[in-house]
């Protein structure tokens, strides 16, 4: 909550407009990210070279290090922004009157299904050195929105939202890792979604019915500066 929201009498503050230099810097970063994404799609991470990224982005080689310390840091940025864009599309853009139980079920299933539908990307994600932190940072704000809506509407019974967030988000990543490693059969995301809803107080039969609903085809966002879907590796 902002200071102005907490204290109505607090003086209003306005964000400082981005300078021309800031805008140019951000544009260069976006070009590097998009170039890296396209090259990962074509060659995979192992074949990715910084010189090829800067050439594809049409920026000087030295400019890369103004934004990223290494190729690995760029890859983490690409994966993080892909995950965040998917979370935004699933939760952030959902109507406020959406049933929170359906919202949570669909979001949970979509993320876990990445391990089935895009195993190369899922493997890239789960094998990153900071996978847990990266995944949590990208998804927590949107997961919190869905849970808070459920609590406010009385749809969910959640004694501790922080514990639930950690359990749901961490569980989704753990299940993705388990699928990638071949430890799960098909459609594990359905059982996981049912378990998540039950843990939030949704009756068993309803949790099962919601979790078994067919997933609508989804066109992933392709906005400039955000992920146009996970990169193929």
């Amino acid at each position: 909550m902002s200071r102005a929201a907490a204290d109505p009498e607090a003086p209003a503050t306005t964000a400082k407009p981005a300078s021309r230099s800031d805008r140019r810097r951000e544009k260069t970063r976006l070009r590097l990210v998009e170039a890296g994404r396209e090259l990962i799609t074509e060659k995979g991470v192992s074949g990715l070279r910084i010189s090829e990224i800067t050439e594809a982005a049409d920026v000087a080689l030295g400019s890369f290090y103004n934004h990223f310390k290494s190729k690995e840091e760029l890859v983490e940025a690409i994966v993080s922004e892909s995950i965040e864009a998917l979370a935004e599309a699933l939760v952030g853009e959902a109507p406020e009157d959406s049933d929170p139980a359906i919202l949570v079920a669909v979001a949970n299933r979509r993320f876990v299904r990445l391990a089935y539908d895009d195993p190369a990307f899922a493997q890239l994600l789960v094998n990153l050195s900071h996978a847990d932190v990266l995944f949590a940072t990208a998804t927590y704000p949107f997961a919190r929105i869905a849970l808070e809506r459920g609590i406010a509407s009385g749809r969910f019974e959640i004694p501790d939202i922080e514990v639930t967030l950690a359990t749901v988000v961490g569980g989704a990543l753990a299940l993705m890792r388990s699928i990638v490693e071949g430890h799960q059969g098909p459609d594990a995301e359905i059982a996981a979604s049912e378990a998540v809803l039950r843990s939030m107080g949704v009756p068993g039969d309803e949790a099962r019915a919601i979790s078994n609903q067919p997933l609508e085809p989804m066109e992933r966002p392709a906005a400039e500066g955000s992920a146009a879907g996970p990169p193929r590796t």
Side-chain angles (χ1 to χ4, degrees), residues 89-199:
L90 289 169
V91 178
E93 297 176 6
E96 290 191 11
D97 59 353
S98 300
D99 181 352
I102 294 177
L103 193 62
V104 167
V106 169
N108 186 268
R109 289 179 63 192
R110 288 285 188 191
F111 275 110
V112 174
R113 277 218 65 85
L114 285 174
Y116 294 115
D117 300 335
D118 197 349
F121 174 76
Q123 188 167 28
L124 174 61
L125 167 62
V126 302
N127 287 329
L128 289 174
S129 59
H130 302 98
D132 296 274
V133 173
L134 183 150
F135 189 73
T137 300
T139 58
Y140 255 49
F142 302 99
R144 182 182 293 279
I145 289 171
L147 266 58
E148 288 179 343
R149 287 182 186 177
I151 294 170
S153 66
R155 192 73 162 106
F156 296 154
E157 295 179 6
I158 298 177
D160 190 316
I161 191 170
E162 299 302 331
V163 170
T164 302
L165 277 169
T167 302
V168 172
V169 172
L173 183 63
L175 185 54
M176 290 173 67
R177 182 178 284 114
S178 184
I179 293 168
V180 166
E181 293 175 351
H183 302 315
Q184 303 293 332
D187 302 322
E189 84 285 355
I190 295 176
S193 173
E194 180 181 340
V196 166
L197 293 182
R198 283 172 177 261
S199 74

Side-chain angles (χ1 to χ4, degrees), residues 4-233:
D7 181 2
E9 297 184 1
T13 58
T14 56
K16 182 180 179 181
S19 67
R20 180 179 300 178
S21 176
D22 291 337
R23 292 194 299 270
R24 184 166 57 245
R25 178 180 174 83
E26 180 61 18
K27 184 176 181 180
T28 298
R29 183 187 182 281
L30 293 178
R31 288 164 67 177
L32 289 167
V33 168
E34 291 304 318
R37 189 191 320 281
E38 291 175 7
L39 287 169
I40 290 174
T41 300
E42 295 172 7
K43 301 183 175 185
V45 175
S46 61
L48 195 62
R49 299 289 181 269
I50 292 175
S51 58
E52 292 178 318
I53 297 169
T54 55
E55 182 177 351
D58 194 25
V59 301
L61 180 61
S63 295
F64 179 91
Y65 296 100
N66 291 332
H67 300 273
F68 304 102
K69 296 178 181 178
S70 63
K71 179 183 77 172
E72 289 71 25
E73 188 173 293
L74 171 64
V75 171
E76 287 189 7
I78 292 170
V79 172
S80 175
E81 290 173 22
S82 294
I83 292 296
E84 185 174 351
L86 182 56
E88 168 70 28
L90 289 169
V91 178
E93 297 176 6
E96 290 191 11
D97 59 353
S98 300
D99 181 352
I102 294 177
L103 193 62
V104 167
V106 169
N108 186 268
R109 289 179 63 192
R110 288 285 188 191
F111 275 110
V112 174
R113 277 218 65 85
L114 285 174
Y116 294 115
D117 300 335
D118 197 349
F121 174 76
Q123 188 167 28
L124 174 61
L125 167 62
V126 302
N127 287 329
L128 289 174
S129 59
H130 302 98
D132 296 274
V133 173
L134 183 150
F135 189 73
T137 300
T139 58
Y140 255 49
F142 302 99
R144 182 182 293 279
I145 289 171
L147 266 58
E148 288 179 343
R149 287 182 186 177
I151 294 170
S153 66
R155 192 73 162 106
F156 296 154
E157 295 179 6
I158 298 177
D160 190 316
I161 191 170
E162 299 302 331
V163 170
T164 302
L165 277 169
T167 302
V168 172
V169 172
L173 183 63
L175 185 54
M176 290 173 67
R177 182 178 284 114
S178 184
I179 293 168
V180 166
E181 293 175 351
H183 302 315
Q184 303 293 332
D187 302 322
E189 84 285 355
I190 295 176
S193 173
E194 180 181 340
V196 166
L197 293 182
R198 283 172 177 261
S199 74
M200 297 179 184
V202 178
D205 290 346
E206 187 178 8
R208 183 176 302 111
I210 290 173
S211 299
N212 278 277
Q213 289 181 2
L215 289 174
E216 296 287 338
M218 179 181 177
E219 182 177 349
R220 289 177 183 157
E224 182 179 355
S226 66
R232 309 285 175 174
T233 58

